[in-house]
Amino acid sequence: MTKIGIITGSTRPGRNSLQVAQWVKELADKRGDAEYEIVDIAEYNLPLYNEPISAAYSQNYVTPEAIPWSKKIAELDGYVFITPEYNHGITSALKNAIDYLYPEWNNKAAGIVSYGSSGGVRAAEALRVVLAELQVASVRTHPAMSLFTDFVNMNEFKPADLHVASVNTLLDQVVAWSTALQPLRNKA
């Protein structure tokens, strides 16, 4: 069965990304079309990226925390990134986690669920550019949550009902694309 990781995009105390990830997983688990799991970047305790050789050229990671991170990302067929928008971009923690790896990401599909004062749309666009470099195909559908209308006091996630259909369309696309890219992953 296709394995999709729902990746949190923040590690800070009081973060909202875990609430959003749990909601997406609840919707995903009702589908039965793939195996979904939350991948919380906070649990990997990745230090600031400092590998001596880029992951594009070597997977001989010297940072001990990189090894379980590599294993987890490699075993997944696709991803749903939950990203807040910080200063018109993705969080430094998410960028750091992404930068640790290279071939583990290749030839997979990803969807993006964002949130922020403007729905996190600028962070989602920034993330698409990063994913393209990693040979990750990002799907079109993009649920964007507002801190003002989908959160109570900007910290308790209460999404509008309209987002359910959008998340399900995103999941349809991520599963389809992840499955379609399987032959490319098998060649590697």
Side-chain angles (χ1 to χ4, degrees), residues 166-186:
S166 182
V167 168
N168 275 305
T169 300
L170 173 136
L171 294 172
D172 289 343
Q173 293 171 357
V174 170
V175 171
W177 286 32
S178 295
T179 303
L181 290 168
Q182 184 66 46
L184 293 175
R185 291 192 299 278
N186 289 342

Side-chain angles (χ1 to χ4, degrees), residues 83-92 115 120-127:
T83 185
E85 183 173 307
Y86 286 15
N87 300 316
H88 292 209
I90 62 175
T91 67
S92 56
Y115 63 92
V121 297
R122 294 168 294 219
E125 290 305 311
L127 182 54

Side-chain angles (χ1 to χ4, degrees), residues 51-174:
E51 288 288 326
I53 301 173
S54 167
Y57 304 107
S58 172
Q59 286 69 58
N60 294 323
Y61 303 115
V62 298
T63 306
E65 296 87 349
I67 296 165
W69 177 240
S70 168
K71 182 179 180 215
K72 174 51 62 186
I73 296 306
E75 75 183 26
L76 298 166
D77 299 305
Y79 315 99
V80 175
F81 287 90
I82 311 298
T83 185
E85 183 173 307
Y86 286 15
N87 300 316
H88 292 209
I90 62 175
T91 67
S92 56
L94 179 57
K95 181 68 166 79
N96 188 57
I98 290 169
D99 286 347
Y100 260 96
L101 311 175
Y102 187 80
E104 296 89 342
W105 299 111
N106 296 171
N107 300 313
K108 298 179 182 180
I112 301 168
V113 176
S114 65
Y115 63 92
S117 60
S118 297
V121 297
R122 294 168 294 219
E125 290 305 311
L127 182 54
R128 286 183 196 283
V129 172
V130 172
L131 295 176
E133 174 59 24
L134 298 169
Q135 302 177 52
V136 176
S138 62
V139 303
R140 180 182 185 275
T141 300
H142 166 210
M145 315 295 171
S146 169
L147 279 175
F148 304 114
T149 60
D150 294 305
F151 292 83
V152 176
N153 297 323
M154 290 194 241
N155 64 8
E156 181 186 352
F157 188 51
K158 298 284 185 188
D161 291 340
L162 64 95
H163 296 302
V164 172
S166 182
V167 168
N168 275 305
T169 300
L170 173 136
L171 294 172
D172 289 343
Q173 293 171 357
V174 170

